[in-house]
Amino acid sequence: MKRKRIVSLVMALALILSVIPNVSASAKVKLSTTSKTLVVGKTATIKISGTKSVKWSVSNKKIKIIKKTNSYAKVKAISVGTAHLNAKVGKKTLSCKVTVKEQFSATK
């Protein structure tokens, strides 16, 4: 009888601990870079580590997300200017500043 109670308490404790989110894991979430420069029409991949769930967004239409997963976002430079690629993980938002420059052609 006493043994059943101990086993039940241990099982309940294990269940409770498995539900509590891992706070230290969220502290390790980071982007591969915090700033990037692109030429109009070119693409870049920004990776994120330390998470299994992320929501990607951009601050304006200077860049466009062309592919997104839970481990990276591939962006394309649309027009000259500056935009931010945002990665929201839980309540934490990480940002990468993307500067888009004009492509210069060589003339003789």
Side-chain angles (χ1 to χ4, degrees):
M1 187 83 136
K2 200 172 192 181
R3 188 174 185 158
K4 285 183 181 181
R5 278 190 189 168
I6 292 172
V7 171
S8 296
L9 287 173
V10 169
M11 295 292 257
L13 183 61
L15 182 63
I16 291 169
L17 290 177
S18 68
V19 175
I20 297 173
N22 189 355
V23 176
S24 64
S26 65
K28 297 178 185 176
V29 175
K30 68 177 191 172
L31 292 175
S32 59
T33 184
T34 56
S35 65
K36 193 78 170 172
T37 301
L38 292 173
V39 175
V40 173
K42 298 295 180 181
T43 62
T45 302
I46 310 299
K47 297 178 182 178
I48 190 165
S49 61
T51 185
K52 293 185 187 242
S53 180
V54 61
K55 187 172 186 176
W56 297 98
S57 64
V58 293
S59 63
N60 59 43
K61 295 181 180 182
K62 305 290 182 185
I63 61 171
K64 180 180 179 182
I65 299 173
I66 55 176
K67 185 173 184 178
K68 56 186 172 181
T69 69
N70 284 327
S71 59
Y72 71 90
K74 187 172 185 179
V75 295
K76 183 174 184 177
I78 303 298
S79 62
V80 176
T82 303
H84 286 88
L85 173 67
N86 299 311
K88 187 168 183 179
V89 179
K91 293 181 180 180
K92 187 175 185 177
T93 301
L94 304 166
S95 184
C96 176
K97 181 180 177 182
V98 180
T99 304
V100 181
K101 294 188 176 186
E102 191 174 329
Q103 182 175 10
F104 295 103
S105 60
T107 57
K108 291 185 179 182

